[in-house]
């Protein structure tokens, strides 16, 4: 049973704080594509330095490359220094029309789910904004990568750290960057990364498409031939072949 990211971040912050009260945490998802590693490392280092010097949350925003309605956005406020700005507001997955308007302003950045903050600051934020989680953290033990008691963990609220904490912060910073980012949690997300033909088929490997549009194809070992199909995901591996509608979850 998963408990989303709020419980995970809260428990991690508490566990680390017990071992090093001066620790700073870096929280980042594992299923993301990073385009420019050098710029990514620079943004991470800046986030950590800023969090430690200001004792606040530093949330990384990456420059959008198209008006996505599937990502959350961060709006930058007043400039603090360099690439660090006051965080003005969060916007959760806007409509396509609003997303296009955001890009025109130049002040909105994709929320990549990456942030840094001192462990103590995180715990204080949980006490203020998510007391039902904060009040149970001291009752858990972590041994060998396993949390116990499991029954208590399963009873925690199933809510993301974005909704529980980040969107409620009154004094957070946005670290603006352009390292190139994509959430690759689904096969459909690879549309923004892989080459496209004139019919907007995205592919990795060899694909021949006839009268077929907007498909996503992974064909590493042998060619895939498409005929008269649209909006599919086709994944060919030595072990199996996977075919699905792009909008299937």
């Amino acid at each position: 049973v998963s408990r989303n990211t709020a419980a995970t971040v809260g428990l991690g912050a508490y566990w680390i704080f017990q071992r090093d009260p001066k620790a700073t945490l870096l929280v980042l998802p594992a299923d993301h594509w990073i385009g420019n590693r050098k710029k990514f490392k620079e943004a991470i280092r800046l986030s950590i330095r800023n969090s430690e010097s200001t004792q606040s949350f530093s949330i990384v925003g990456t420059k959008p490359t198209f008006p996505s309605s599937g990502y959350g956005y961060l709006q930058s406020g007043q400039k603090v220094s360099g690439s660090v700005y006051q965080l003005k507001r969060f916007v959760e997955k806007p409509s396509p029309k609003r997303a296009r308007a955001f890009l025109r302003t130049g002040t909105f950045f994709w929320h990549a789910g990456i942030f840094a903050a001192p462990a103590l600051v995180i715990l204080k934020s949980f006490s203020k904004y998510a007391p039902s989680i904060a009040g149970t953290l001291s009752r858990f033990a972590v041994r060998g990568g396993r949390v116990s008691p499991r029954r208590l963990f399963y009873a925690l609220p199933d809510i993301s750290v974005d909704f529980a904490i980040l969107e409620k912060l009154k004094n957070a910073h946005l670290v603006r960057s352009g390292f190139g980012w994509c959430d690759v949690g689904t096969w459909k997300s690879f549309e923004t990364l892989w080459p496209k033909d004139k019919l907007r088929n995205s592919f990795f490997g060899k694909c021949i498409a006839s009268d077929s549009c907007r498909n996503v194809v992974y064909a590493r070992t042998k060619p895939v031939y498409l005929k008269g199909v649209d909006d599919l995901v086709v994944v060919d591996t030595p072990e199996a072949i996977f075919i699905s509608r792009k909008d299937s979850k």
Side-chain angles (χ1 to χ4, degrees):
V1 178
S2 65
R3 290 293 90 189
N4 217 311
T5 53
T8 304
V9 171
L11 184 57
Y14 180 83
W15 188 82
I16 291 171
F17 180 78
Q18 297 306 305
R19 285 147 184 80
D20 182 1
K22 296 183 180 180
T24 295
L25 273 67
L26 173 66
V27 178
L28 63 168
D31 59 348
H32 289 182
W33 173 85
I34 303 297
N36 188 313
R37 295 185 180 184
K38 182 179 179 181
K39 288 185 177 180
F40 173 72
K41 291 178 181 178
E42 291 172 352
I44 294 302
R45 293 190 187 102
L46 179 57
S47 300
I48 294 171
R49 288 198 304 269
N50 185 71
S51 291
E52 291 177 341
S53 64
T54 62
Q55 291 295 291
S56 66
F57 282 78
S58 296
I59 305 171
V60 175
T62 185
K63 186 176 180 180
T65 55
F66 65 96
S68 172
S69 59
Y71 296 152
Y73 287 75
L74 306 167
Q75 186 178 19
S76 58
Q78 185 176 355
K79 184 174 182 177
V80 177
S81 64
S83 299
V84 180
Y85 290 72
Q86 290 289 338
L87 176 62
K88 188 173 183 178
R89 63 167 169 154
F90 274 84
V91 179
E92 252 321 301
K93 297 180 180 179
S95 67
K97 182 178 180 180
R98 289 190 74 196
R100 289 192 293 270
F102 288 171
L103 263 65
R104 288 195 293 269
T105 70
T107 63
F108 284 88
F109 290 73
W110 280 337
H111 176 35
I114 302 171
F115 65 89
L120 179 59
V121 172
I122 294 175
L123 293 176
K124 286 182 177 180
S125 298
F126 269 85
S127 296
K128 183 176 182 179
Y129 300 119
S132 61
I133 297 176
T136 62
L137 296 177
S138 63
R139 300 167 61 185
F140 290 106
V142 180
R143 296 185 181 90
R146 295 183 180 274
V147 178
S148 61
R150 295 170 64 186
R151 174 182 54 80
L152 185 61
F153 183 76
Y154 295 160
L156 289 174
D158 184 5
I159 185 173
S160 72
V161 71
D162 293 351
F163 285 117
I165 305 296
L166 300 184
E167 295 187 12
K168 299 175 183 178
L169 295 173
K170 304 302 181 184
N171 184 28
H173 293 109
L174 167 62
V175 176
R176 298 177 17 167
S177 185
F179 50 75
W181 169 87
C182 178
D183 181 350
V184 290
T186 65
W187 281 106
K188 185 178 183 297
S189 62
F190 285 95
E191 283 184 303
T192 62
L193 302 179
W194 291 345
K196 288 185 175 67
D197 63 15
K198 61 182 180 181
L199 296 177
R200 290 181 289 165
N201 296 294
S202 305
F203 51 89
F204 182 94
K206 189 172 183 180
C207 173
I208 302 172
S210 174
D211 192 26
S212 300
C213 302
R214 303 178 304 277
N215 297 287
V216 179
V217 179
Y218 177 86
R220 191 165 188 173
T221 58
K222 57 182 177 291
V224 168
Y225 180 71
L226 302 177
K227 174 66 176 177
V229 295
D230 301 329
D231 300 305
L232 294 181
V233 173
V234 180
V235 181
D236 177 56
T237 72
E239 295 79 17
I241 297 175
F242 173 80
I243 302 175
S244 171
R245 299 291 303 179
K246 272 198 310 187
D247 56 4
S248 179
K249 294 184 179 179

